[in-house]
Amino acid sequence: MRYLSTNNKTQPVTLAQAILHGRAADGGLFWPEQLPQIPQAFFNNISGMTFTEIAYVVCNMLFGDVLSSSELKNIIERSFNFPLPVRKVGDRLYSAELFHGPTLAFKDFGARFMARMISSLHTSGKFSGVRGDKLHVLIATTGNTGSAVANGFRHIPGVEVYILFPRGTADRQLETQFTTLGDNIHALEVQGSIDDCHALVAQAFADKELAAEMTMTSANSVNIVRLLPQMFCYFYAVSEILRLEGEHTPVTVAIPAGNLGNLTAALAARQMGLKMDGIIAAENANDYLTRLLATGAERLPHRPIPTLACACDKSMPTNMARIRQVCRCPKGVAGLREAFSAVSIDDAGIIEGVNHCLDKYGYVIDPHTALAYQALRSGLPEGHVGLMMATGHPAKSLTAMNAITGRAMELPLQLTNFMTGKDQRLRIRPTYDDFRKVLVGKI
């Protein structure tokens, strides 16, 4: 399979090239030239399959021309060694709990798969033109992405990871998920803003002298191999509902929407043959999609509005170009409206959703999952079963959850283990000279 830029101004590239470059040379995002169609026989048997069995089949369809079946099977088994429970919350309501990985967030699926895919491609010589004996992964983050990437790549041979994060912007329990790891994970606290962190990463990628010495890539959400594995979750979660409710049950899926990677994955899964009767993008007050579908007009760029569902605080979602690609809607909104709907929930609605779900069902959801919950409360069609994608463990939003519910929440063991680890961060000034010295081993 080849990969094209969403800007359609460059030649197709291989998977290895798409992974290494992250973005296309014309500034676009990579997307498969054509998504494969999964045979009906797979769907006839899907309700009796485990998550890893389903992931293996879909993975083979996507990447079977690059790696052998045994290599892909090994990647799947090592990436997804944690459960994905699909819980019945109430009548016609299910929750796909995507937060049982090492950092208790859905990003563990993409980050762990990406790490092992990169390692396999590197060790098998599929990356051409690599300088040096190691790959260097650079990422700027304010929290969740950094923790998932750091834990995904920890102990992966042949890869060094540099996590740049701004001083004083993340909760301590979140920071410890990448500052206490050590080994091949380098946590760099930048005495500046997240913009400074992004600028340092951009300068490193633009440094031709440095690029001649080492191969650098990014692990942020624009990288295609971090996004595609999120499809596996939809195939499995929907199959569980069909197993429990009957194979002809109409299913509507509600997805917390920020940078739109999860929505892109859901739409791609449906294009590959997965039956989802409805898809709802559940936004917070940053209502880009809701306004676009309602008015047909793009919003001008602006600073994101801070909300309780902070991981969805995106004013101009990066993956919109991929959404248009998968919906075959390069302009306008008609094709988008046919593919999914969107709803915006403000902080008051988030608070109401968390407490309503807790009071009615005794089920605790975090502020991001509350977006999906509220979307289903108001938009679930008659006769459909609703599936909300629970993207984060409630304890990941500890301060907000304690304030919303008025109850003190206990930290899960995974988080307390991080918080008792030795802090191994390195503090640097927001200057490229400092960062470059770290990369070349002079600090």
Side-chain angles (χ1 to χ4, degrees):
M1 185 190 301
R2 300 188 303 174
Y3 294 80
L4 301 174
S5 168
T6 53
N7 286 343
N8 202 30
K9 295 178 181 178
T10 57
Q11 292 298 311
V13 300
T14 65
L15 175 66
Q17 290 170 322
I19 293 172
L20 278 181
H21 295 304
R23 278 186 180 272
D26 62 6
L29 305 182
F30 288 114
W31 189 249
E33 190 171 29
Q34 184 173 356
L35 285 168
Q37 291 296 300
I38 300 180
Q40 184 58 41
F42 167 73
F43 295 104
N44 293 342
N45 297 291
I46 192 172
S47 61
M49 299 170 69
T50 65
F51 175 78
T52 54
E53 289 170 341
I54 289 172
Y56 171 69
V57 172
V58 180
C59 192
N60 246 321
M61 297 292 295
L62 292 168
F63 309 122
D65 61 332
V66 180
L67 293 173
S68 68
S69 294
S70 60
E71 288 173 310
L72 292 175
K73 187 173 186 291
N74 183 262
I75 290 171
I76 291 290
E77 291 176 347
R78 290 189 299 127
S79 298
F80 309 127
N81 56 356
F82 53 90
L84 197 177
V86 179
R87 302 196 188 280
K88 185 168 186 176
V89 176
D91 184 40
R92 299 195 306 132
L93 178 63
Y94 285 80
S95 173
E97 295 184 351
L98 309 179
F99 51 73
H100 290 274
T103 71
L104 305 181
F106 80 95
K107 292 181 180 181
D108 285 325
F109 285 94
R112 290 176 65 80
F113 183 89
M114 179 185 188
R116 285 146 187 83
M117 173 68 88
I118 283 180
S119 176
S120 187
L121 290 171
H122 184 38
T123 56
S124 61
K126 297 294 196 309
F127 288 135
S128 60
V130 172
R131 281 81 62 198
D133 60 346
K134 292 187 177 182
L135 295 174
H136 298 261
V137 175
L138 318 182
I139 186 165
T141 182
T142 54
N144 273 323
T145 297
S147 60
V149 168
N151 282 269
F153 278 91
R154 191 185 188 191
H155 301 317
I156 295 294
V159 181
E160 297 290 325
V161 180
Y162 299 85
I163 309 286
L164 285 76
F165 63 102
R167 179 179 178 179
T169 58
D171 289 341
R172 178 173 174 268
Q173 59 95 1
L174 189 53
E175 283 187 355
T176 58
Q177 294 181 1
F178 51 85
T179 58
T180 61
L181 300 182
D183 191 52
N184 63 325
I185 307 300
H186 310 277
L188 308 179
E189 181 186 83
V190 178
Q191 297 174 20
S193 67
I194 185 61
D195 291 336
D196 293 319
C197 298
H198 283 296
L200 293 177
V201 171
Q203 284 178 277
F205 284 130
D207 187 334
K208 294 182 180 179
E209 183 179 331
L210 187 64
E213 299 177 17
M214 61 178 63
T215 298
M216 297 173 288
T217 188
S218 177
N220 62 21
S221 61
V222 304
N223 202 303
I224 188 67
V225 81
R226 237 193 75 188
L227 185 151
L228 290 177
Q230 293 169 209
M231 281 196 284
F232 307 156
C233 301
Y234 291 94
F235 281 97
Y236 177 71
V238 171
S239 76
E240 279 291 277
I241 291 179
L242 298 181
R243 180 178 68 83
L244 296 167
E245 297 285 341
E247 61 178 311
H248 300 297
T249 303
V251 179
T252 289
V253 182
I255 306 163
N259 211 29
L260 307 186
N262 258 335
L263 177 61
T264 305
L267 293 168
R270 186 162 66 182
Q271 191 175 105
M272 290 179 70
L274 180 64
K275 183 175 178 290
M276 285 182 279
D277 298 87
I279 296 176
I280 307 174
E283 299 183 291
N284 58 23
N286 295 280
D287 55 354
Y288 175 88
L289 278 179
T290 306
R291 284 175 177 263
L292 176 63
L293 296 188
T295 67
E298 299 271 0
R299 292 191 70 172
L300 295 174
H302 64 89
R303 292 184 65 85
I305 300 167
T307 75
L308 292 170
C310 57
C312 293
D313 291 349
K314 309 289 182 183
S315 63
M316 298 294 292
T318 306
N319 282 298
M320 191 62 214
R322 285 178 171 142
I323 296 284
R324 289 193 173 280
Q325 195 82 10
V326 75
C327 292
R328 300 186 179 92
C329 181
K331 296 181 180 179
V333 295
L336 303 180
R337 288 170 178 157
E338 292 175 3
F340 62 91
S341 60
V343 63
S344 171
I345 294 101
D346 60 15
D347 275 0
I350 290 172
I351 293 170
E352 180 191 19
V354 171
N355 287 318
H356 185 274
C357 189
L358 181 58
D359 294 341
K360 183 170 184 179
Y361 301 113
Y363 185 70
V364 183
I365 55 176
D366 82 311
H368 305 84
T369 308
L371 298 173
Y373 178 75
Q374 291 290 70
L376 290 174
R377 282 186 68 196
S378 62
L380 183 63
E382 184 69 30
H384 282 219
V385 169
L387 171 64
M388 57 182 177
M389 305 306 285
T391 52
H393 191 288
K396 293 278 283 190
S397 304
L398 187 65
T399 302
M401 288 297 298
N402 288 346
I404 291 171
T405 64
R407 310 178 189 185
M409 179 173 292
E410 292 186 10
L411 285 176
L413 184 60
Q414 290 106 308
L415 295 185
T416 56
N417 285 342
F418 285 122
M419 295 188 74
T420 56
K422 180 183 177 182
D423 193 303
Q424 302 185 57
R425 78 183 70 195
L426 176 65
R427 293 180 173 88
I428 65 172
R429 296 172 299 170
T431 65
Y432 182 57
D433 183 58
D434 274 17
F435 182 38
R436 197 180 194 280
K437 287 178 179 176
V438 173
L439 291 175
V440 299
K442 292 184 179 179
I443 292 184

